[in-house]
Amino acid sequence: MMKFNLIAGILSFCVANSFAQTYLPPPLNIEQAYNKDTRTINGKPGKNYWQNTANYNIKVNFEPRTRNLSGTVSIEYTNNSPDTLKQLWFKLYPNFYKKGVMRNYKVDAVDMNDGVQISKITINNTDQDLGDVNIDGTNMSVNITPLLSKQKLHVDIKYAYILNRTSHVRTGQIDSGSYFVAYFFPRIAVYDDIDGWNKYPYLGTEEFYNDFCHFNAEISVPANYQVWATGDLKNAGEVYNDKIVKLIAQAEKTDAVTTIVSEDDLQAGNITTKKALNTWKFEADNVTDLVFATSDHYMWKAASPVVDSLTGRRTRVDAVFNPAHKDYYSVIDFARKTVSLMSYTFPKWPFPYAHETVVDGLDQMEYPMMVNDNPLEKTDDAIELTDHEIFHTMFPFYMGINETKYGWMDEGWATMGEWLISPMIDPKIDDGYGMEGYEASAGSEEDQPIITLTTQISGVSGFTDSYPKPALGYLFMKDMLGNDLFIKALHNYIGNWHGKHPGPYDFFNSMNAGSGRNLNWFWKRWFFDNGVPDLAISKVTHQANKYQVIIKSIGTKPIPIDLNIKYAGGSTLIIHRDVSVWEKGNNTVILNFDATKKVKQLVLGSTYVPDVNKKDNVYEVK
């Protein structure tokens, strides 16, 4: 009865109120969250919103020569849900490389192994029969004594696995003395108010969904290996020599770049304390994951820009890299500028973490407080990669996005962040990342609506629905609202959901509420509907210097109008209209202008206005 009354009330409101011309009907599992008041139609978490959490204590030994990682993880898990849990579901992400496991990403035969070897599981001090533990690919489930609402339990797991040597899919060996080690411990899967347990397997292309937890990690590696990780290094004085400890402290107090570990230091070989093994201790609070990188020959440059002008708080930004990769010497500059621009320009939110470390690796991937980026020869490519991956700090990590289901809710933002921030770092950059792919595939059978679950798409949509299409949607919204109102709406969304798990409707509703405008007409047409972006110059008339140009929308996707008026002599004037000109369902827009010189040509389009047919975008003035 509650479901009927709530939805009927929403529908009545939408019909009666002219402010709400378009309604976005939620799927039943989202509707159920409204009925239970864990989420609300104004975009805020409901009064009954909850999420589970855990404290992780991880102790591992990593042997670079054999790539064997072994150790224990102790988990104190809190069931904040209203439900009694009769099972625990775990994620064993390294099983992506296990022989016979289903995956949608190519792995070299040399890297296929026996997966995570679990030798002991203890729950509340009771040893579990490993024969009763169900491991299916990257998922593991264990039956437990029912865990009541608001109660806790304790899990201890002893395990080991072999890190991949090649097939570097977000983790693995970088070179003979460098390794990026991610997803390296068993963790309890998310249990949320939308789906219950997150049972989606990790197949390779779709990404991750984890709870906000507290982590303590002790990582033991041989002498001469440095370690960088999510969280704060708690025992620098135990693992580094005094000179390095002082340089770390110095780097955390200045905007200027400090070389903490130089080529000379590497050649001298006295960076770390002289023990057979050093144990590096890290702590991170309220993050969704912990990863680490280790190397015996990486330099380290750092700078700490102020990210919060009110408090003076700084974020230490690191670049750790092979000195043979000369292009990486500039990455520290790109990285610190990105962190500053994120804090003060877009999304104009103080960078939320104490450090951000860019590691010279073999991938292009983000993690809490860490980035794994391959070296690149071209400066613009390096800038675009650096800012894209660092921008992920906000989405999915600060915002807790379910990347597995909603890739567009994080990759779309990182793409938009890349488009906006890259030319702020280097004004010569015109970054059209993803635009060609979208224009080539729009309207094809593979072109699915953005709202389609990431787990249900493949082929070209696996890229376009996560990267350029949502980024364009966000960019068009910014253009339509204006920068100040867009930032206000975005901050409403961030304020509502940081440290939590927002879904698509939480985003749409938060932006509506934050802007004070019902934007559902746009959300529906850009994120939910099929269609193609296609504008044309339909008709041009002029008398003397007075021109009238009729722009026709042949496709159904609302896109901005950028009419380039090219004068004889080479000068250009641009007439711009944002997507709101199509809000009423019209398919033509009239543009009038007075020419200041002889007009030579009219051209529709710009970098971020996709168009599937550009042949009708040019008009030669006779």
Side-chain angles (χ1 to χ4, degrees):
M1 183 63 67
M2 283 181 62
K3 178 175 74 172
F4 174 81
N5 288 341
L6 173 63
I7 299 304
I10 295 172
L11 287 170
S12 297
F13 172 80
C14 291
V15 171
N17 192 331
S18 60
F19 181 67
Q21 296 297 315
T22 303
Y23 173 60
L24 304 178
L28 291 179
N29 53 335
I30 309 296
E31 180 184 313
Q32 184 181 52
Y34 294 153
N35 291 330
K36 292 182 177 180
D37 207 9
T38 58
R39 298 169 193 253
T40 66
I41 59 172
N42 67 8
K44 293 183 178 180
K47 65 180 181 180
N48 296 327
Y49 178 79
W50 55 267
Q51 62 193 48
N52 292 349
T53 189
N55 289 322
Y56 284 80
N57 282 290
I58 304 164
K59 297 182 179 181
V60 295
N61 183 301
F62 178 64
E63 171 45 58
R65 184 179 58 83
T66 62
R67 304 187 316 283
N68 183 70
L69 186 145
S70 60
T72 61
V73 56
S74 296
I75 311 168
E76 185 178 81
Y77 182 70
T78 302
N79 177 22
N80 289 319
S81 82
D83 306 323
T84 297
L85 304 181
K86 298 179 181 179
Q87 282 186 318
L88 287 182
W89 280 71
F90 292 80
K91 295 297 180 184
L92 304 178
Y93 291 128
N95 274 3
F96 171 76
Y97 292 96
K98 187 176 180 179
K99 297 172 185 174
V101 164
M102 182 172 61
R103 62 180 72 85
N104 58 19
Y105 209 101
K106 186 180 184 302
V107 170
D108 294 337
V110 68
D111 283 315
M112 295 184 188
N113 54 41
D114 295 327
V116 179
Q117 300 296 296
I118 293 178
S119 54
K120 188 175 184 178
I121 299 178
T122 302
I123 299 179
N124 288 337
N125 297 316
T126 300
D127 289 349
Q128 304 298 296
D129 184 346
L130 296 182
D132 294 335
V133 174
N134 180 39
I135 297 178
D136 182 10
T138 57
N139 285 337
M140 178 175 76
S141 60
V142 181
N143 293 324
I144 60 172
T145 300
L147 178 63
L148 302 179
S149 175
K150 310 304 179 186
Q151 298 299 305
K152 298 181 179 182
L153 60 70
H154 189 88
V155 180
D156 292 294
I157 301 176
K158 185 177 181 180
Y159 71 103
Y161 75 96
I162 303 297
L163 185 73
N164 51 298
R165 181 171 64 84
T166 61
S167 311
H168 193 112
V169 184
R170 306 184 178 95
T171 182
Q173 180 172 327
I174 300 169
D175 58 33
S176 60
S178 305
Y179 307 81
F180 200 100
V181 187
Y183 325 117
F184 66 95
F185 57 93
R187 87 266 326 270
I188 297 177
V190 175
Y191 184 86
D192 68 19
D193 63 315
I194 301 297
D195 297 323
W197 287 111
N198 169 29
K199 298 180 181 180
Y200 289 104
Y202 170 47
L203 302 178
T205 54
E206 301 88 3
E207 294 184 356
F208 305 93
Y209 183 36
N210 297 306
D211 271 321
F212 286 89
C213 298
H214 184 92
F215 294 90
N216 278 289
E218 297 184 12
I219 301 161
S220 297
V221 294
N224 296 327
Y225 275 83
Q226 300 179 75
V227 177
W228 301 268
T230 302
D232 299 322
L233 177 62
K234 307 302 289 186
N235 66 330
E238 295 177 9
V239 292
Y240 277 122
N241 68 39
D242 291 342
K243 172 190 170 185
I244 302 298
V245 173
K246 291 177 182 177
L247 287 171
I248 294 172
Q250 174 184 315
E252 291 176 344
K253 297 176 183 177
T254 177
D255 294 14
V257 175
T258 299
T259 300
I260 296 175
V261 176
S262 67
E263 287 190 81
D264 290 342
D265 294 324
L266 292 170
Q267 293 172 1
N270 63 346
I271 299 166
T272 60
T273 53
K274 297 299 183 182
K275 299 177 184 177
L277 288 177
N278 285 321
T279 298
W280 303 66
K281 299 177 182 180
F282 294 90
E283 183 176 12
D285 189 35
N286 203 32
V287 295
T288 57
D289 202 358
L290 184 141
V291 304
F292 72 92
T294 184
S295 176
D296 64 358
H297 60 274
Y298 269 21
M299 289 182 60
W300 180 4
K301 290 182 176 287
S304 297
V306 174
V307 296
D308 188 338
S309 58
L310 294 178
T311 64
R313 180 174 62 85
R314 294 178 182 270
T315 289
R316 194 191 74 230
V317 183
D318 307 315
V320 297
F321 58 97
N322 186 334
H325 296 158
K326 300 305 180 183
D327 54 303
Y328 235 96
Y329 281 76
S330 300
V331 167
I332 184 61
D333 196 42
F334 309 150
R336 64 173 175 161
K337 287 179 180 178
T338 298
V339 168
S340 291
L341 288 165
M342 287 177 63
S343 300
Y344 296 108
T345 305
F346 182 74
K348 208 172 183 178
W349 190 279
F351 198 84
Y353 300 118
H355 80 80
E356 181 72 15
T357 302
V358 183
V359 178
D360 177 2
L362 292 178
D363 213 298
Q364 301 186 348
M365 185 62 191
E366 70 282 354
Y367 321 78
M369 305 186 206
M370 300 282 282
V371 166
N372 176 4
D373 280 354
N374 59 292
L376 293 164
E377 292 183 5
K378 295 181 179 179
T379 299
D380 54 349
D381 290 341
I383 291 171
E384 292 160 15
L385 175 59
T386 301
D387 58 37
H388 180 107
E389 302 306 342
I390 292 177
F391 202 89
H392 274 299
T393 297
M394 296 298 294
F395 312 93
F397 302 124
Y398 192 58
M399 297 297 289
I401 303 298
N402 184 345
E403 300 174 271
T404 309
K405 289 174 65 176
Y406 315 121
W408 59 272
M409 291 186 70
D410 77 295
E411 294 295 354
W413 284 112
T415 301
M416 182 192 185
E418 171 190 333
W419 288 347
L420 295 178
I421 290 175
S422 295
M424 296 179 193
I425 297 174
D426 182 350
K428 297 189 298 295
I429 289 178
D430 183 19
D431 180 7
Y433 176 67
M435 294 299 297
E436 183 177 345
Y438 176 41
E439 288 180 331
S441 63
S444 69
E445 290 178 306
E446 286 190 322
D447 183 25
Q448 300 299 310
I450 297 170
I451 201 69
T452 308
L453 294 186
T454 304
T455 54
Q456 296 176 353
I457 56 177
S458 60
V460 67
S461 278
F463 170 72
T464 56
D465 275 1
S466 292
Y467 293 82
K469 286 170 63 178
L472 288 169
Y474 305 145
L475 194 67
F476 297 164
M477 182 60 58
K478 179 177 181 290
D479 181 40
M480 178 170 59
L481 295 178
N483 186 68
D484 290 346
L485 186 56
F486 176 78
I487 290 293
K488 178 183 176 184
L490 180 57
H491 284 191
N492 186 58
Y493 170 49
I494 295 172
N496 285 344
W497 287 100
H498 73 81
K500 302 179 178 67
H501 295 310
Y505 291 81
D506 305 313
F507 164 66
F508 297 136
N509 293 331
S510 289
M511 293 295 288
N512 288 355
S515 65
R517 293 172 59 175
N518 189 300
L519 305 167
N520 287 348
W521 75 271
F522 179 76
W523 303 135
K524 183 177 185 301
R525 290 167 66 180
W526 193 261
F527 288 83
F528 288 78
D529 292 350
N530 287 309
V532 298
D534 186 6
L535 298 184
I537 298 176
S538 176
K539 185 178 180 181
V540 179
T541 58
H542 69 97
Q543 188 171 13
N545 67 330
K546 295 186 178 298
Y547 279 75
Q548 182 179 88
V549 183
I550 299 177
I551 307 299
K552 184 175 182 180
S553 181
I554 298 172
T556 57
K557 287 293 186 186
I559 54 178
I561 298 171
D562 281 320
L563 181 65
N564 296 268
I565 304 164
K566 298 191 175 184
Y567 292 112
S571 61
T572 301
L573 173 69
I574 298 176
I575 298 178
H576 175 76
R577 297 290 184 270
D578 64 60
V579 292
S580 65
V581 296
W582 309 112
E583 181 176 358
K584 303 303 180 183
N586 52 299
N587 64 359
T588 60
V589 170
I590 297 174
L591 302 180
N592 295 299
F593 69 92
D594 292 341
T596 58
K597 303 175 185 177
K598 178 178 175 57
V599 178
K600 181 180 179 181
Q601 188 183 60
L602 303 176
V603 181
L604 270 180
S606 61
T607 300
Y608 301 117
V609 180
D611 198 313
V612 298
N613 177 22
K614 297 184 178 180
K615 293 180 180 178
D616 51 15
N617 288 11
V618 179
Y619 181 87
E620 304 289 346
V621 178
K622 304 299 183 183

